[in-house]
Amino acid sequence: MINKIKEAGFKTVRIPVSWGQHMGSASSYTVDEAWMDRVQEVVDYCIDNGLYVVLNTHHDDWIVPTNSKKSEVEPKLKKLWTQIATRFKNYDDKLIFETLNEPRVQGSAEEWSGGTSETRAVVNSYNKVALEAIRNTGGNNAKRAVMMPTNGASGTDAAINDMVVPNDGNV
């Protein structure tokens, strides 16, 4: 499949990964080694074919951007991104991390319209936690390109205007 993607002229592949069901419990939240190995195998297929890779957290329903969930989500998100970033810290700039995929309160009236001031602020906090975890692993992660979304990955004025990009010297 990766060969066909390359033959079709694509230069980048996004690998959407659901991590939650492959993580242990608190406080280590260790990702299952076989799952991590498989993710790395797919990343390697793409990079070995000269493609750029965007690797993210995807469909992880435990990532809820509300103040009531923040203290539960942030330590787990930090541990997750520390493990991912550690595994891939020696990869070159062909690998790009995306902290979150469309973070939002599912089923809410504001789910796809930019969220609320609360959810936008929490998404900013989650992005910061993930970015710090990535940068703290060192290696090529010190300057790796990292994508960070708004609430629901929305392009509404409220979502864009309330987005805070963490200043880590690479912005």
Side-chain angles (χ1 to χ4, degrees), residues 1 21 24 27 46 54 61 74 99 108 130 149-150:
M1 178 174 51
Q21 66 271 30
S27 68
C46 297
V54 176
D61 295 341
E74 285 188 345
T99 57
S108 71
T150 60

Side-chain angles (χ1 to χ4, degrees), residues 13 70 110:
V13 172
K70 189 175 172 184
E110 304 83 16

